[in-house]
Amino acid sequence: MTAPENKLLPSLLVKTNTVTPFSTVKSFVLGSGLLALSAAVSAAPVPPPEMDNTAYILMDYDTGAILAEKNADQPLPPASLTKMMTSHIIEKKLMAGELKEDDQVLMSENAWCRGASNQSCMYVPVNKTASVIDMLRGIIIQSGNDASKAMAEHIAGSEQAFSQLMNAEAKELGMTNTNFVNATGMPAEGHHASARDLAILSRAIIKQGGDYYKLYSEKEFTYNNITQGNRNALLRTDSTVDGLKTGHTDAAGYCLAASSLRNDMRLISVIMGSKSMQDRADQSRELLTWGFGHFDTKVVAPANQFVDTVPVYFGKEDSVKAATGEALKVLITKTQSDQVSTVINISDNIQAPIAKGQEIGRMMAVIDGKSVASVPIVATEAVEKSGIFKRAWQHIAKFFSNLF
C-alpha cells in the first residue's frame, strides 16, 4: 500500500482546526494550488550515521516517510532479500483463498537442493511433498532456495513464469528500480533491486500479510528432522525487532531488511552490501536506534473521529455525518517545534446517492505550511436518492441558492 494521496477536491469547503496536544499551532488558509504538498519531514537535528555499506534506507512504516538514505535508488543484487517477494506473493494467495496452508507442494528435481555449500536449503527430499505453510516457513526462516523454487513452480508452472508475477507485483507496489529473474536471489544477469524498493516491499508485507507476518519473527524452524535458525541476529538481541529477511552472496555482500516496533512507532531499515553478518546486524541496529532517537509518530486524529454534518443534495436526508476513514498520523522530529494543524477539505456539492464509507473529502495534517499526511473523510451512513418530486423541488431551491 502506498502512502496516502494528497488530492484536493475540485470544489472545497475548507476548515482549519487546531490539534491538541500540540501548542502554538499556525492558522492556515487553503486556496487551490497554494499548498505545497509533501510527504517529507524536516531534517533531523543530528545527521544519520555513516556506514560502511553500499546502500541503506530508513523508512517510517505509518507514513512511508524516508528518515535517512544512502544510494537508496541504486539497483543492486538483492541476494535472498528477493525471497521477500516470493513469500509476499504466497501470503497474498493464501489470504485470497487461491492457496491453502495444507496444500501439498512437490519438490521437483529442478527445485531440489543438493546441499551445495553456496545455497541455503530447506531440505525437502526430491519428488516428495511438503505443505504450503511449511514451504513458507522454509522460505522465510530457513531461506530455502529449494522451497522458493518449488513454490514458484507450484504457483506459476516454472520459476521463469513466477518471476513475471514478481515483477508485476513490484510494479503494482511502485518498486521502480527492481527486476526479478528468479525466486531465490541467486546471482543472475538483470536481477536487481534498490534499498528503497525493498523497504516498500517490507512495508507491504507488514501491512498486507495479516497473521503471516508473525512468521518473520520465528527464530528457528525444524523440517525433515533438521533444525535451522533464522539468520536475522536482531531477533535474538532486540525484542522490538520482528522481521524481516537476511541475504548474502559474494556479489551482494551481506544484506538485511529489518523492522522494529517501539511505543506504537514502527521503522523499517534496509542494509545492502555490508562486509559481514555482524556488520549488517550492527548497522541495522544503529540505524533503527538513530531513527527512534530523533523522530516520533503522533496520532493527529483517530479512525472514525466525527468531523462534521455535511449538506447533501437530492437525497432522502438533507445531510450526512462525516468521519475520518482511518487514523491520521504524522511524523515529526523530537526537537522540532510542535506545530501541526489539520485542513479539512469537503466538497460543497455532495449529491445522493451516497454509500456508507464513501469518501467525501480529506483531512490533511499540515506542518510548517506543508501537507505531510492525509486520510479520507467518509460518510458514516448511506443516503438514498430522493423521490422525483422532492428532487424537482430541490433542484429549484439549489438554482435560486446559487444566485446569491
Side-chain angles (χ1 to χ4, degrees):
M1 184 176 180
T2 56
E5 295 181 1
N6 292 314
K7 292 182 177 179
L8 304 186
L9 300 176
S11 182
L12 303 177
L13 169 64
V14 179
K15 303 182 180 182
T16 303
N17 301 315
T18 299
V19 182
T20 58
F22 302 96
S23 58
T24 321
V25 178
K26 183 189 298 182
S27 297
F28 191 83
V29 178
L30 177 66
S32 179
L34 298 181
L35 180 62
L37 301 178
S38 171
V41 295
S42 299
V46 178
E50 295 184 5
M51 298 177 177
D52 184 15
N53 55 37
T54 306
Y56 73 73
I57 197 165
L58 183 65
M59 173 187 284
D60 175 62
Y61 168 76
D62 283 311
T63 64
I66 303 305
L67 310 187
E69 61 180 276
K70 168 188 170 183
N71 299 330
D73 294 310
Q74 182 177 344
L76 295 168
S80 286
L81 298 191
T82 298
K83 296 185 178 93
M84 291 196 296
M85 180 59 83
T86 303
S87 60
H88 174 59
I89 290 174
I90 296 168
E91 290 155 18
K92 286 188 67 174
K93 289 187 174 297
L94 281 166
M95 296 181 72
E98 298 175 30
L99 289 173
K100 293 182 174 59
E101 291 186 3
D102 58 359
D103 286 349
Q104 294 299 302
V105 179
L106 177 68
M107 181 57 65
S108 69
E109 187 170 355
N110 179 65
W112 178 46
C113 192
R114 294 163 175 79
S117 60
N118 66 337
Q119 291 195 55
S120 52
C121 306
M122 180 179 169
Y123 297 113
V124 179
V126 65
N127 294 326
K128 300 295 183 181
T129 63
S131 67
V132 167
I133 192 63
D134 280 347
M135 288 285 195
L136 185 58
R137 280 193 165 92
I139 294 168
I140 294 171
I141 303 166
Q142 298 177 332
S143 198
N145 287 352
D146 49 355
S148 300
K149 292 178 183 178
M151 285 302 308
E153 292 174 353
H154 184 78
I155 291 171
S158 70
E159 190 175 7
Q160 181 180 9
F162 186 76
S163 70
Q164 296 176 15
L165 298 181
M166 299 170 75
N167 288 322
E169 181 66 16
K171 183 178 180 180
E172 180 71 20
L173 293 175
M175 299 169 63
T176 56
N177 290 293
T178 291
N179 185 65
F180 296 116
V181 300
N182 61 51
T184 64
M186 290 295 287
E189 184 177 354
H191 188 97
H192 55 255
S194 68
R196 188 185 311 277
D197 286 354
L198 292 168
I200 291 171
L201 175 57
S202 299
R203 189 178 185 221
I205 287 172
I206 300 168
K207 189 177 291 288
Q208 300 176 19
D211 286 341
Y212 291 110
Y213 181 61
K214 296 176 183 177
L215 300 181
Y216 294 82
S217 64
E218 293 188 7
K219 298 180 178 64
E220 63 179 29
F221 177 53
T222 300
Y223 187 82
N224 197 20
N225 295 319
I226 301 171
T227 300
Q228 298 186 66
N230 195 317
R231 295 171 177 83
N232 184 354
L234 296 184
L235 295 175
R236 296 175 178 82
T237 60
D238 186 341
S239 62
T240 71
V241 172
D242 55 11
L244 293 151
K245 189 75 187 69
T246 62
H248 171 255
T249 63
D250 290 343
Y254 290 86
C255 307
L256 174 58
S259 183
S260 174
L261 178 63
R262 304 181 190 178
N263 298 323
D264 297 323
M265 180 178 181
R266 180 180 287 280
L267 297 181
I268 296 168
S269 66
V270 176
I271 301 291
M272 303 185 74
S274 64
K275 300 298 190 292
S276 69
M277 293 175 64
Q278 188 65 51
D279 283 349
R280 73 185 177 192
D282 289 345
Q283 291 170 7
S284 299
R285 185 183 300 108
E286 183 178 5
L287 195 56
L288 289 167
T289 299
W290 175 85
F292 285 116
H294 296 291
F295 295 89
D296 271 327
T297 299
K298 299 292 185 183
V299 178
V300 177
N304 304 314
Q305 176 176 290
F306 173 76
V307 173
D308 203 354
T309 299
V310 182
V312 175
Y313 291 104
F314 316 127
K316 288 185 176 181
E317 305 294 334
D318 294 328
S319 63
V320 66
K321 292 181 179 178
T324 51
E326 57 189 84
L328 176 60
K329 298 181 180 181
V330 297
L331 187 73
I332 63 171
T333 62
K334 289 189 176 181
T335 58
Q336 181 183 27
S337 297
D338 290 341
Q339 294 186 353
V340 59
S341 62
T342 59
V343 176
I344 298 172
N345 302 327
I346 300 177
S347 172
D348 60 2
N349 189 31
I350 298 174
Q351 300 183 14
I354 300 170
K356 182 178 180 180
Q358 179 178 324
E359 181 174 335
I360 57 176
R362 293 197 74 84
M363 176 186 285
M364 294 187 293
V366 177
I367 300 176
D368 295 332
K370 295 180 180 179
S371 172
V372 294
S374 74
V375 295
I377 294 172
V378 301
T380 63
E381 54 203 349
V383 179
E384 297 180 9
K385 185 180 290 188
S386 59
I388 186 170
F389 295 109
K390 184 175 181 180
R391 282 205 310 277
W393 171 250
Q394 289 171 328
H395 274 290
I396 294 170
K398 189 173 188 294
F399 172 77
F400 282 103
S401 68
N402 289 336
L403 295 179
F404 301 98

